[in-house]
Amino acid sequence: MTDAASKTDGAAESIEFTKSLRKLSIKVGTVDDAFDETPGTAVVLCRDSGSRKWGPKWLSQAALQANVPSDPSNALELVRTTRPDVVFVEAVLVGSGGEPIYKMLLDAADVTSKIIVLCNGSREISAALEAGAFDVACKPYEWQAISHRARLAMRLKSSQESLAESTVALSEALEIANTARATLRSQQSFEPVTGLPNKSKFVDLLRRGMRAMDKDSGKLAVIVVGFTRFRLVIEAMGQEQADQILTEIGQTLSECLRNTPHSNSYGSQVLRTAVVATLDQFRFGLMLTNSGGEEELAQLQQQLLDALSRPIQIAGQTVHLSACLGLALYPEDAGEVDSLLQRADNAMRDAQSRGGGFKYYCAETDAAAARKLRIEHLLHEALDRDELSAAYQPIVDVATGKIIAAEALLRWRQPDGSVIAPDEFVEVAEESGLMIRTGEFILDEACERFCAWQEQGVRLPMICVNVSKVQLLSGAFPRTVQRILEAHKMRPDQLELEISERGVLSGDYDVIKQLHELKSIGVRLSIDDFGTGESAIAYLKELPVDALKIDRSYIAGIIDDRKDAAIASAMIALAQRLELTVIAEGVENEAQLARLRKLRCDAYQGFLFSQAVDADAFVVRARQQ
């Protein structure tokens, strides 16, 4: 955008903002002055001859022009048409359906008139006030006083209408101000929250630094800093406190670069430029010219990780952040600004996928990012073309050897016959926002198949489906489950939803709330891959789960590894104490099964009995029992 265009846009926004404020000031400043001068309108609905005669006369003294219809039966239509400020209505008047006319007026959403009910006694007064009447009057009617109260009612109605108009004007002014603020922020060189250079300025500084390195034959390092769960900090603490955290992080990074030594590995003094910038709401960028050798960069890496791992105190709360850093070098890793910054960002995201830490850019990083992007593209097409399918693995009772359930597992075979593993595409689905559609597909497919098996005589107690934390956090998942169950006419207890331990044992309030809502529907819940997470088991007692599934990594060592055996035994004992069904995953030989039987494990699944197979093969396997 040119400077001239920016000035023109800014002037236009300023004019619009001024108009909105002027409109607002008119609404706020002149309301009170207008009340005493503005004539009003009223409708008098009554059969009392005295009221019909004297009411309009006294109302006219209060600057209220009264309409006294001869037939009050069409009162609702009359009020809707004429929109009077005040309506007087006798409590005894009823409509064609036998309901009091004043109640019909009060219940009509499009009637904004103030309703004053004319009553004969205390019972009618109580009923009118309970229905929401603005005011009541009791016989004998003092129309002089009633007229004064009617004027007050009109005054209140005008105030409310003016307030609504003022609110609209204020909203318009704020919207224009916010737009102007956003425009101004984008044009500035510094991010207002942290006071650091923004991305546009950082890119300009990178370009200058690269030109300087071309002249001096030096190296330039770019580091992108992100965090694994910063969005949760914003949700938990609010934007204002999150901004304070970002400011402190910016100061920490600046201090780290200031403390970087100014000599190379040979002890020679070098001219060095160090910059910290804010790239967006969740990421920072660092640039270091004449960045030195691997030893110096390793020292900087450790310094940054140590500094960012320190807890931050904000408003009496302690915040621990898991930093993810990605580094790319000029000219080795890229020859121009955008590519260099993108490759540092790819390295940071690689570190992020590993749970945090520091990652140098390498060609494999780009290959992994490109692979994810391609899978995301193909997954969109796969969902549209119905390329996804389900395989079913039997869950077997340890004591009887009978199949007691089937676990539905996602499979993706492309048109060319190649297969993309769930471990690869499920992660992409979660990151790209496709997990909602993918999860709904497998849930619907599993429920449909379960009902088909029932009709074929394969009567399993239930079917199990994996659920992602992304689905739980969507907020609409319980309604989706309810809809699919109703569509297939399944009982809720015939469906078990499996949630990964990392998805539930985190104390996340929204997840726990969703689990309780699912439990209220009547479905069964189980924790999958138990033992692989890093969360506190203390949360287990808060979860409405029915079963635990011990991860295959512990079952693999249950015979030969004393520690794995001890952990598996403890998990089974824990589940039994909590009265949960316990299922062992990945059982591959008779020795493992014998040990599980001895430990009184309830059920198992694994290649010993059957791998995951297609629906028809599962039916054959089930009928062989």
Side-chain angles (χ1 to χ4, degrees), residues 293-368:
E294 292 183 6
E295 182 179 340
E296 186 178 342
L297 287 174
Q299 182 181 346
L300 175 61
Q301 161 192 337
Q302 194 58 51
Q303 185 181 356
L304 289 169
L305 288 174
D306 289 344
L308 294 172
S309 66
R310 298 185 194 119
I312 298 174
Q313 300 290 335
I314 295 292
Q317 298 187 60
T318 302
V319 179
H320 295 269
L321 295 174
S322 180
C324 312
L325 295 88
L327 180 144
L329 293 172
Y330 173 81
E332 288 94 329
D333 296 329
E336 54 94 21
V337 172
D338 291 340
S339 296
L340 185 66
L341 190 56
Q342 182 62 54
R343 289 179 174 178
D345 189 62
N346 286 347
M348 184 277 292
R349 294 182 188 279
D350 193 11
Q352 209 168 43
S353 68
R354 300 165 188 260
F358 200 103
K359 185 74 170 62
Y360 286 83
Y361 167 78
C362 61
E364 288 77 8
T365 302
D366 268 358

Coordinates of all heavy atoms in Angstrom, one line a residue, residues 293-368:
G293 N 30.8 -20.9 14.8 CA 30.8 -22.3 14.5 C 29.8 -23.1 15.3 O 29.0 -22.5 16.0
E294 N 29.9 -24.4 15.1 CA 28.9 -25.3 15.8 C 29.0 -25.2 17.3 O 28.0 -25.3 18.0 CB 29.1 -26.8 15.3 CG 28.8 -27.0 13.9 CD 29.0 -28.5 13.5 OE1 29.2 -29.3 14.4 OE2 28.8 -28.8 12.3
E295 N 30.2 -25.1 17.8 CA 30.4 -25.0 19.3 C 29.7 -23.8 19.8 O 29.0 -23.9 20.9 CB 31.9 -25.0 19.6 CG 32.1 -24.9 21.1 CD 33.6 -24.9 21.4 OE1 34.4 -25.3 20.5 OE2 34.0 -24.5 22.5
E296 N 29.8 -22.6 19.2 CA 29.2 -21.4 19.7 C 27.6 -21.5 19.5 O 26.9 -21.1 20.4 CB 29.7 -20.2 18.9 CG 29.2 -18.9 19.4 CD 29.7 -17.7 18.6 OE1 30.8 -17.9 17.9 OE2 29.2 -16.6 18.7
L297 N 27.2 -22.1 18.4 CA 25.7 -22.2 18.3 C 25.1 -23.2 19.3 O 24.0 -23.0 19.8 CB 25.4 -22.7 16.9 CG 25.6 -21.7 15.7 CD1 25.3 -22.3 14.4 CD2 24.6 -20.5 15.9
A298 N 25.9 -24.2 19.6 CA 25.4 -25.2 20.6 C 25.3 -24.5 22.0 O 24.4 -24.7 22.8 CB 26.4 -26.4 20.7
Q299 N 26.3 -23.6 22.3 CA 26.3 -22.8 23.5 C 25.0 -21.9 23.6 O 24.4 -21.8 24.6 CB 27.5 -22.0 23.6 CG 27.6 -21.2 24.9 CD 28.9 -20.4 25.0 OE1 29.9 -20.6 24.2 NE2 29.0 -19.4 25.9
L300 N 24.7 -21.2 22.4 CA 23.6 -20.4 22.4 C 22.3 -21.2 22.5 O 21.3 -20.8 23.2 CB 23.5 -19.6 21.0 CG 22.3 -18.8 20.7 CD1 22.1 -17.7 21.8 CD2 22.4 -18.2 19.3
Q301 N 22.3 -22.4 21.9 CA 21.1 -23.3 22.0 C 20.8 -23.6 23.4 O 19.7 -23.5 23.9 CB 21.4 -24.5 21.2 CG 20.5 -25.7 21.5 CD 21.0 -27.0 20.9 OE1 21.7 -27.0 19.9 NE2 20.7 -28.1 21.5
Q302 N 21.8 -24.0 24.2 CA 21.6 -24.4 25.6 C 21.2 -23.2 26.4 O 20.3 -23.3 27.3 CB 22.9 -25.0 26.1 CG 22.7 -25.7 27.5 CD 21.6 -26.8 27.4 OE1 21.7 -27.7 26.5 NE2 20.6 -26.8 28.2
Q303 N 21.8 -22.0 26.1 CA 21.5 -20.8 26.8 C 20.0 -20.5 26.6 O 19.3 -20.1 27.6 CB 22.3 -19.7 26.3 CG 22.2 -18.4 27.1 CD 23.1 -17.3 26.6 OE1 23.9 -17.5 25.7 NE2 22.9 -16.1 27.1
L304 N 19.5 -20.6 25.4 CA 18.1 -20.2 25.1 C 17.2 -21.2 25.8 O 16.2 -20.8 26.4 CB 17.9 -20.3 23.6 CG 18.5 -19.1 22.8 CD1 18.4 -19.4 21.3 CD2 17.8 -17.8 23.1
L305 N 17.5 -22.5 25.7 CA 16.6 -23.5 26.3 C 16.6 -23.4 27.8 O 15.5 -23.5 28.4 CB 17.1 -24.9 25.9 CG 16.8 -25.4 24.5 CD1 17.5 -26.7 24.2 CD2 15.4 -25.4 24.2
D306 N 17.7 -23.1 28.4 CA 17.7 -22.9 29.9 C 16.9 -21.7 30.3 O 16.1 -21.8 31.3 CB 19.2 -22.7 30.4 CG 20.0 -24.0 30.3 OD1 19.4 -25.1 30.1 OD2 21.2 -23.9 30.3
A307 N 17.0 -20.6 29.5 CA 16.3 -19.4 29.9 C 14.8 -19.6 29.7 O 14.0 -19.1 30.6 CB 16.8 -18.2 29.0
L308 N 14.4 -20.2 28.6 CA 13.0 -20.4 28.4 C 12.3 -21.5 29.2 O 11.1 -21.5 29.3 CB 12.8 -20.7 26.9 CG 13.1 -19.6 25.9 CD1 13.1 -20.1 24.5 CD2 12.2 -18.4 26.1
S309 N 13.1 -22.3 29.8 CA 12.5 -23.4 30.7 C 12.2 -22.9 32.1 O 11.5 -23.5 32.9 CB 13.5 -24.5 30.8 OG 14.7 -24.2 31.5
R310 N 12.7 -21.6 32.4 CA 12.4 -21.1 33.8 C 10.9 -20.8 33.9 O 10.3 -20.2 33.0 CB 13.3 -19.9 34.0 CG 14.8 -20.1 34.0 CD 15.5 -18.9 34.4 NE 16.9 -19.0 34.1 CZ 17.6 -18.3 33.2 NH1 17.0 -17.2 32.6 NH2 18.9 -18.5 32.9
P311 N 10.3 -21.1 35.0 CA 8.9 -20.7 35.2 C 8.7 -19.2 35.2 O 9.5 -18.4 35.6 CB 8.5 -21.3 36.6 CG 9.9 -21.5 37.3 CD 10.9 -21.7 36.2
I312 N 7.5 -18.8 34.7 CA 7.2 -17.4 34.7 C 6.1 -17.1 35.7 O 5.1 -17.8 35.7 CB 6.7 -17.0 33.2 CG1 7.9 -17.2 32.2 CG2 6.2 -15.5 33.2 CD1 7.4 -17.0 30.8
Q313 N 6.2 -16.1 36.5 CA 5.3 -15.7 37.5 C 4.4 -14.5 36.9 O 4.9 -13.4 36.7 CB 5.9 -15.2 38.8 CG 6.8 -16.3 39.4 CD 6.0 -17.4 40.0 OE1 4.8 -17.3 40.4 NE2 6.6 -18.6 40.1
I314 N 3.1 -14.8 36.8 CA 2.2 -13.8 36.3 C 0.9 -13.7 37.1 O 0.2 -14.8 37.3 CB 1.8 -14.0 34.8 CG1 3.0 -13.9 33.9 CG2 0.7 -13.0 34.4 CD1 3.5 -12.5 33.8
A315 N 0.6 -12.6 37.8 CA -0.6 -12.4 38.5 C -0.7 -13.5 39.6 O -1.8 -14.1 39.8 CB -1.8 -12.4 37.6
G316 N 0.3 -13.9 40.3 CA 0.3 -14.9 41.3 C 0.3 -16.3 40.8 O 0.1 -17.2 41.6
Q317 N 0.3 -16.5 39.5 CA 0.3 -17.9 38.9 C 1.7 -18.2 38.3 O 2.4 -17.3 37.8 CB -0.8 -18.0 37.9 CG -2.2 -17.8 38.4 CD -3.2 -18.1 37.3 OE1 -3.3 -19.2 36.8 NE2 -4.0 -17.1 36.9
T318 N 2.0 -19.5 38.4 CA 3.3 -19.9 37.8 C 3.0 -20.6 36.5 O 2.2 -21.5 36.5 CB 4.0 -20.9 38.8 OG1 4.2 -20.2 40.0 CG2 5.3 -21.3 38.2
V319 N 3.7 -20.2 35.5 CA 3.5 -20.8 34.1 C 4.7 -21.4 33.7 O 5.8 -20.8 33.7 CB 3.0 -19.7 33.1 CG1 2.8 -20.3 31.7 CG2 1.8 -19.0 33.6
H320 N 4.6 -22.7 33.3 CA 5.8 -23.4 32.7 C 5.5 -23.6 31.2 O 4.4 -24.2 30.8 CB 5.9 -24.8 33.4 CG 6.3 -24.7 34.8 ND1 7.6 -24.7 35.3 CD2 5.5 -24.6 35.9 CE1 7.6 -24.6 36.6 NE2 6.3 -24.6 37.0
L321 N 6.4 -23.2 30.4 CA 6.3 -23.3 28.9 C 7.3 -24.3 28.4 O 8.4 -24.4 28.8 CB 6.5 -22.0 28.3 CG 5.4 -20.9 28.6 CD1 5.8 -19.6 28.0 CD2 4.0 -21.3 28.1
S322 N 6.9 -25.0 27.3 CA 7.8 -25.9 26.7 C 8.2 -25.3 25.3 O 7.4 -25.2 24.4 CB 7.1 -27.3 26.4 OG 8.0 -28.2 25.8
A323 N 9.4 -24.8 25.3 CA 9.9 -24.1 24.1 C 10.3 -25.0 23.0 O 10.9 -26.1 23.2 CB 11.0 -23.1 24.5
C324 N 10.1 -24.6 21.7 CA 10.5 -25.3 20.5 C 11.3 -24.4 19.7 O 10.8 -23.3 19.3 CB 9.3 -25.9 19.8 SG 8.1 -26.7 20.8
L325 N 12.5 -24.7 19.3 CA 13.4 -23.8 18.6 C 13.9 -24.5 17.3 O 14.3 -25.7 17.4 CB 14.6 -23.4 19.4 CG 14.3 -22.5 20.6 CD1 14.0 -23.4 21.9 CD2 15.4 -21.5 20.9
G326 N 13.8 -23.8 16.2 CA 14.3 -24.3 14.9 C 15.3 -23.3 14.4 O 15.1 -22.1 14.4
L327 N 16.5 -23.9 13.9 CA 17.6 -23.0 13.4 C 17.9 -23.3 11.9 O 17.9 -24.5 11.5 CB 18.8 -23.2 14.2 CG 20.0 -22.4 13.9 CD1 20.8 -21.9 15.1 CD2 21.0 -23.2 12.9
A328 N 18.1 -22.3 11.1 CA 18.6 -22.4 9.7 C 19.7 -21.4 9.5 O 19.7 -20.3 10.1 CB 17.4 -22.2 8.8
L329 N 20.7 -21.8 8.7 CA 21.8 -21.0 8.4 C 21.9 -20.4 7.0 O 21.5 -21.1 6.1 CB 23.1 -21.8 8.7 CG 23.4 -22.2 10.1 CD1 24.6 -23.2 10.1 CD2 23.6 -21.1 11.0
Y330 N 22.3 -19.2 6.9 CA 22.6 -18.6 5.6 C 24.1 -18.5 5.4 O 24.8 -18.1 6.4 CB 22.0 -17.2 5.5 CG 22.4 -16.4 4.3 CD1 21.7 -16.7 3.1 CD2 23.4 -15.5 4.3 CE1 22.1 -16.0 1.9 CE2 23.8 -14.8 3.1 CZ 23.1 -15.1 1.9 OH 23.4 -14.4 0.8
P331 N 24.7 -19.0 4.3 CA 24.0 -19.4 3.1 C 23.8 -20.9 2.9 O 23.3 -21.3 1.9 CB 25.0 -18.9 2.0 CG 26.3 -19.0 2.7 CD 26.1 -18.7 4.1
E332 N 24.2 -21.7 3.9 CA 24.2 -23.1 3.7 C 22.8 -23.7 3.5 O 22.6 -24.5 2.6 CB 24.7 -23.9 5.0 CG 26.2 -23.7 5.1 CD 26.6 -22.6 6.0 OE1 25.8 -21.6 6.0 OE2 27.6 -22.7 6.7
D333 N 21.8 -23.2 4.2 CA 20.4 -23.8 4.2 C 19.5 -23.2 3.2 O 18.5 -23.8 2.7 CB 19.8 -23.8 5.6 CG 20.6 -24.7 6.5 OD1 21.2 -25.7 6.1 OD2 20.6 -24.4 7.7
A334 N 19.7 -21.9 2.9 CA 18.9 -21.2 1.9 C 19.6 -19.9 1.5 O 20.4 -19.4 2.2 CB 17.5 -20.8 2.5
G335 N 19.2 -19.5 0.2 CA 19.9 -18.3 -0.3 C 19.0 -17.1 -0.4 O 19.5 -16.0 -0.8
E336 N 17.8 -17.2 0.1 CA 17.0 -15.9 0.1 C 16.1 -16.0 1.3 O 15.9 -17.0 2.0 CB 16.1 -15.8 -1.2 CG 15.3 -17.0 -1.5 CD 13.9 -16.8 -1.0 OE1 13.5 -15.7 -0.7 OE2 13.2 -17.9 -0.9
V337 N 15.5 -14.8 1.7 CA 14.9 -14.5 3.0 C 13.8 -15.5 3.3 O 13.7 -16.1 4.3 CB 14.5 -13.1 3.1 CG1 13.7 -12.9 4.4 CG2 15.7 -12.1 3.1
D338 N 12.8 -15.5 2.4 CA 11.6 -16.3 2.7 C 11.9 -17.8 2.9 O 11.4 -18.4 3.8 CB 10.6 -16.2 1.5 CG 10.0 -14.8 1.5 OD1 10.0 -14.1 2.5 OD2 9.5 -14.4 0.4
S339 N 12.8 -18.3 2.1 CA 13.2 -19.7 2.2 C 13.9 -20.0 3.5 O 13.6 -21.0 4.2 CB 14.0 -20.2 1.0 OG 13.3 -20.1 -0.2
L340 N 14.8 -19.1 3.9 CA 15.5 -19.2 5.1 C 14.6 -19.2 6.3 O 14.7 -20.1 7.2 CB 16.6 -18.1 5.2 CG 17.5 -18.2 6.4 CD1 18.5 -19.4 6.3 CD2 18.4 -16.9 6.6
L341 N 13.7 -18.3 6.4 CA 12.8 -18.2 7.5 C 11.8 -19.4 7.5 O 11.5 -19.9 8.6 CB 12.0 -16.9 7.4 CG 11.1 -16.5 8.6 CD1 11.9 -16.4 9.8 CD2 10.4 -15.1 8.3
Q342 N 11.4 -19.8 6.3 CA 10.5 -21.0 6.3 C 11.2 -22.2 6.8 O 10.6 -23.1 7.5 CB 10.0 -21.2 4.8 CG 9.0 -22.4 4.7 CD 7.8 -22.1 5.5 OE1 7.1 -21.1 5.3 NE2 7.4 -23.1 6.3
R343 N 12.5 -22.4 6.4 CA 13.2 -23.6 6.8 C 13.5 -23.6 8.3 O 13.4 -24.6 9.0 CB 14.4 -23.7 6.0 CG 14.1 -24.1 4.6 CD 15.3 -24.3 3.7 NE 14.8 -24.8 2.4 CZ 15.6 -25.0 1.3 NH1 16.9 -24.8 1.4 NH2 15.1 -25.5 0.2
A344 N 13.7 -22.4 8.9 CA 13.8 -22.3 10.4 C 12.5 -22.7 11.0 O 12.5 -23.4 12.1 CB 14.3 -20.9 10.8
D345 N 11.4 -22.2 10.4 CA 10.1 -22.5 11.0 C 9.8 -24.0 10.9 O 9.2 -24.6 11.8 CB 9.0 -21.7 10.2 CG 7.7 -21.8 10.9 OD1 7.5 -21.3 12.0 OD2 6.7 -22.3 10.2
N346 N 10.1 -24.6 9.7 CA 9.9 -26.1 9.6 C 10.7 -26.8 10.7 O 10.2 -27.8 11.2 CB 10.4 -26.5 8.2 CG 9.4 -26.1 7.1 OD1 8.3 -25.7 7.4 ND2 9.8 -26.2 5.9
A347 N 11.9 -26.4 10.9 CA 12.7 -27.1 12.0 C 12.0 -26.9 13.3 O 12.0 -27.8 14.2 CB 14.1 -26.5 12.0
M348 N 11.5 -25.7 13.6 CA 10.8 -25.5 14.9 C 9.6 -26.4 15.0 O 9.3 -27.0 16.0 CB 10.4 -24.0 15.0 CG 9.7 -23.6 16.3 SD 7.9 -24.0 16.4 CE 7.2 -22.8 15.2
R349 N 8.8 -26.5 13.9 CA 7.6 -27.4 13.9 C 8.0 -28.9 14.1 O 7.3 -29.6 14.7 CB 6.8 -27.2 12.7 CG 6.2 -25.8 12.6 CD 5.3 -25.6 11.3 NE 4.9 -24.2 11.2 CZ 3.9 -23.7 11.9 NH1 3.2 -24.4 12.7 NH2 3.6 -22.4 11.7
D350 N 9.2 -29.2 13.6 CA 9.7 -30.6 13.8 C 10.0 -30.8 15.3 O 9.6 -31.8 15.9 CB 10.9 -30.8 12.9 CG 11.3 -32.3 12.9 OD1 10.5 -33.1 13.3 OD2 12.4 -32.6 12.4
A351 N 10.6 -29.8 15.9 CA 10.9 -29.8 17.3 C 9.5 -29.9 18.1 O 9.4 -30.6 19.1 CB 11.7 -28.6 17.8
Q352 N 8.6 -29.1 17.6 CA 7.2 -29.1 18.3 C 6.6 -30.5 18.2 O 6.0 -30.9 19.2 CB 6.4 -28.1 17.5 CG 5.3 -27.4 18.4 CD 4.7 -26.2 17.7 OE1 4.4 -26.2 16.5 NE2 4.6 -25.1 18.4
S353 N 6.7 -31.2 17.1 CA 6.1 -32.5 17.0 C 6.8 -33.5 17.9 O 6.2 -34.5 18.2 CB 6.2 -33.0 15.5 OG 7.5 -33.2 15.1
R354 N 8.0 -33.2 18.3 CA 8.7 -34.1 19.2 C 8.5 -33.7 20.7 O 9.2 -34.3 21.6 CB 10.2 -34.1 18.9 CG 10.5 -34.5 17.5 CD 12.0 -34.2 17.1 NE 12.2 -34.4 15.7 CZ 12.8 -35.5 15.2 NH1 13.3 -36.4 16.0 NH2 13.0 -35.6 13.9
G355 N 7.7 -32.7 20.9 CA 7.4 -32.3 22.3 C 8.2 -31.2 22.8 O 8.1 -30.8 24.0
G356 N 9.1 -30.6 22.0 CA 9.9 -29.4 22.4 C 11.4 -29.7 22.1 O 11.8 -30.7 21.6
G357 N 12.2 -28.7 22.5 CA 13.6 -28.8 22.3 C 14.1 -28.0 21.1 O 13.4 -27.1 20.6
F358 N 15.4 -28.3 20.7 CA 16.0 -27.5 19.6 C 16.3 -28.4 18.4 O 16.7 -29.6 18.6 CB 17.4 -27.0 20.2 CG 18.0 -25.9 19.4 CD1 17.9 -24.6 19.9 CD2 18.6 -26.0 18.2 CE1 18.4 -23.5 19.2 CE2 19.1 -25.0 17.5 CZ 19.0 -23.7 18.0
K359 N 16.0 -27.9 17.2 CA 16.2 -28.7 16.0 C 16.9 -27.9 14.9 O 16.4 -26.8 14.6 CB 14.8 -29.2 15.5 CG 14.9 -30.1 14.3 CD 15.3 -31.5 14.7 CE 15.2 -32.5 13.6 NZ 16.0 -32.2 12.4
Y360 N 18.0 -28.4 14.4 CA 18.6 -27.8 13.3 C 17.9 -28.2 12.0 O 17.3 -29.3 11.9 CB 20.1 -28.2 13.1 CG 21.0 -27.7 14.2 CD1 21.1 -28.2 15.4 CD2 21.8 -26.5 13.9 CE1 21.9 -27.7 16.4 CE2 22.6 -26.0 14.8 CZ 22.7 -26.6 16.1 OH 23.6 -26.0 17.0
Y361 N 17.8 -27.2 11.0 CA 17.2 -27.6 9.8 C 18.1 -28.6 9.0 O 19.3 -28.6 9.1 CB 17.1 -26.3 8.9 CG 16.8 -26.7 7.4 CD1 15.5 -27.0 7.1 CD2 17.8 -26.7 6.5 CE1 15.2 -27.4 5.8 CE2 17.5 -27.1 5.2 CZ 16.2 -27.5 4.8 OH 15.9 -27.9 3.6
C362 N 17.4 -29.5 8.4 CA 18.1 -30.5 7.5 C 17.1 -30.8 6.3 O 15.9 -30.5 6.4 CB 18.5 -31.8 8.2 SG 17.1 -32.7 8.9
A363 N 17.6 -31.4 5.3 CA 16.8 -31.6 4.1 C 15.6 -32.5 4.5 O 14.5 -32.4 3.9 CB 17.6 -32.3 3.0
E364 N 15.8 -33.4 5.4 CA 14.7 -34.3 5.8 C 13.6 -33.5 6.5 O 12.4 -33.9 6.4 CB 15.2 -35.4 6.8 CG 16.1 -36.4 6.2 CD 17.5 -35.9 6.0 OE1 17.9 -34.8 6.4 OE2 18.3 -36.7 5.3
T365 N 13.9 -32.4 7.1 CA 12.8 -31.6 7.7 C 11.9 -31.1 6.6 O 10.6 -31.1 6.8 CB 13.5 -30.4 8.4 OG1 14.4 -30.8 9.4 CG2 12.4 -29.5 9.1
D366 N 12.4 -30.6 5.5 CA 11.6 -30.1 4.4 C 10.8 -31.2 3.8 O 9.6 -31.1 3.4 CB 12.5 -29.5 3.3 CG 12.6 -28.0 3.5 OD1 12.0 -27.5 4.5 OD2 13.3 -27.3 2.7
A367 N 11.5 -32.4 3.7 CA 10.8 -33.6 3.1 C 9.6 -34.0 4.0 O 8.5 -34.3 3.5 CB 11.8 -34.7 3.0
A368 N 9.8 -33.9 5.3 CA 8.7 -34.3 6.2 C 7.6 -33.3 6.1 O 6.4 -33.7 6.1 CB 9.2 -34.3 7.6

